Amino acid sequence: EDKVVQSPLSLVVHEGDTVTLNCSYEVTNFRSLLWYKQEKKAPTFLFMLTSSGIEKKSGRLSSILDKKELFSILNITATQTGDSAVYLCAVEDDYKLSFGAGTTVTVRA
Amino acid sequence: NAGVTQTPKFRVLKTGQSMTLLCAQDMNHEYMYWYRQDPGMGLRLIHYSVGEGTTAKGEVPDGYNVSRLKKQNFLLGLESAAPSQTSVYFCASSSLAHPPHTGELFFGEGSRLTVL
C-alpha cells in the first residue's frame, strides 16, 4: 500500500520567517510528487516534481525532490499571513494520487 | 470557466438512506477521481476512472459505487449511508498534459455530507 508521510503536522511562525515542510513516501511505481495548498475549500496546485535534485520555484515557494532517499521538501521564505493554509503532498502511482495528511501552517502577524 | 462542478454542496442524510453525488467537468479530461477528506487524514481516494465506461477502486471504496457513463460526468453513490461516511467529498479531474504523468488535479469545491 502506498504511503505518504508529512511532517510536521502543524507549525506556527511569524511573518518573515522561513518554513520547511517535509514529505516522505513509499510507493510501488513512483511517477511524480505534487504539492498543493488548501485554504478554505479545494486544494490548489503548487508544484509537480519528477526528477531528483531539480528545484522548482514560484515566488517565495520552492521545492525539491530526492528520489534516492524518497522525500521532498517545500520551502516558504519571507512568510506572510496569506501563506496560512494546509499544505498537502501527493505521490502519483499508476495514474492516481495518494495524499499525505497535510501540514497546517499558521503565520502570525 | 466552470472547471469541475460538484452537486450538491451540502447534504444531510439519515442512516440507511441513499444518495448520489454528481461531478461534472468541462475540460475534456480523461481521468476523474473521488476523494474524501476527514480531519487529520488528508485526502483518501475512494474510486477513480481513467476513461468513459471504466472505473477502479481506490484506497477506501467500501460502501460506495461509481459510474462514468459519459466522459464529462463521474457519479458517486452511497447505497446505504452510515455515520462513518460523514465527510467532505472532493471530485477531481486531470488530463494527460504531461504524459506519462497524471499531472495537476483540478478539484471541485467539495460536498459536505453529514449522516445522522
Side-chain angles (χ1 to χ4, degrees):
Chain A
E1 186 177 309
D2 297 344
K3 191 174 175 183
V4 182
V5 179
Q6 293 186 244
S7 63
L9 289 180
S10 64
L11 70 161
V12 179
V13 298
H14 290 94
E15 274 192 317
D17 288 350
T18 294
V19 163
T20 298
L21 309 181
N22 303 291
C23 176
S24 64
Y25 62 89
E26 294 175 29
V27 298
T28 307
N29 186 22
F30 176 87
R31 291 182 181 269
S32 65
L33 185 144
L34 297 90
W35 285 97
Y36 285 82
K37 177 182 182 181
Q38 185 175 26
E39 295 175 87
K40 297 290 185 186
K41 293 188 177 178
T44 54
F45 174 76
L46 295 174
F47 298 110
M48 183 174 82
L49 303 154
T50 57
S51 302
S52 279
I54 299 175
E55 185 183 51
K56 293 234 174 168
K57 291 197 73 170
S58 177
R60 295 176 293 101
L61 277 68
S62 64
S63 183
I64 198 161
L65 173 67
D66 186 329
K67 290 168 73 174
K68 182 179 177 185
E69 300 297 330
L70 308 183
F71 77 92
S72 173
I73 60 171
L74 174 68
N75 282 318
I76 309 173
T77 59
T79 52
Q80 303 171 356
T81 54
D83 294 326
S84 295
V86 176
Y87 291 83
L88 296 166
C89 171
V91 176
E92 180 191 0
D93 175 7
D94 289 336
Y95 306 111
K96 61 185 188 299
L97 296 191
S98 296
F99 283 81
T103 295
T104 301
V105 175
T106 303
V107 182
R108 296 218 169 117
Chain B
N1 273 357
V4 179
T5 304
Q6 294 180 224
T7 53
K9 302 267 189 302
F10 301 93
R11 183 76 187 269
V12 178
L13 289 176
K14 293 182 180 178
T15 297
Q17 287 185 317
S18 64
M19 75 157 295
T20 300
L21 294 173
L22 170 63
C23 176
Q25 53 94 4
D26 62 1
M27 297 172 282
N28 201 35
H29 284 172
E30 289 293 331
Y31 301 159
M32 296 187 75
Y33 309 83
W34 275 108
Y35 287 89
R36 61 177 288 175
Q37 188 173 35
D38 302 296
M41 300 190 76
L43 290 157
R44 291 184 292 169
L45 183 63
I46 305 171
H47 287 279
Y48 64 104
S49 168
V50 298
E52 182 179 316
T54 70
T55 63
K57 293 180 180 179
E59 182 186 352
V60 288
D62 293 343
Y64 304 95
N65 55 75
V66 288
S67 64
R68 182 102 181 266
L69 298 178
K70 294 183 179 180
K71 186 177 183 179
Q72 64 268 34
N73 295 338
F74 195 28
L75 279 64
L76 178 71
L78 286 72
E79 288 187 347
S80 179
S84 61
Q85 293 177 305
T86 293
S87 188
V88 178
Y89 292 85
F90 285 99
C91 176
S93 70
S94 69
S95 67
L96 274 177
H98 307 278
H101 306 296
T102 302
E104 174 186 356
L105 291 189
F106 294 81
F107 285 88
E109 291 292 296
S111 298
R112 183 174 294 277
L113 175 65
T114 301
V115 183
L116 302 175

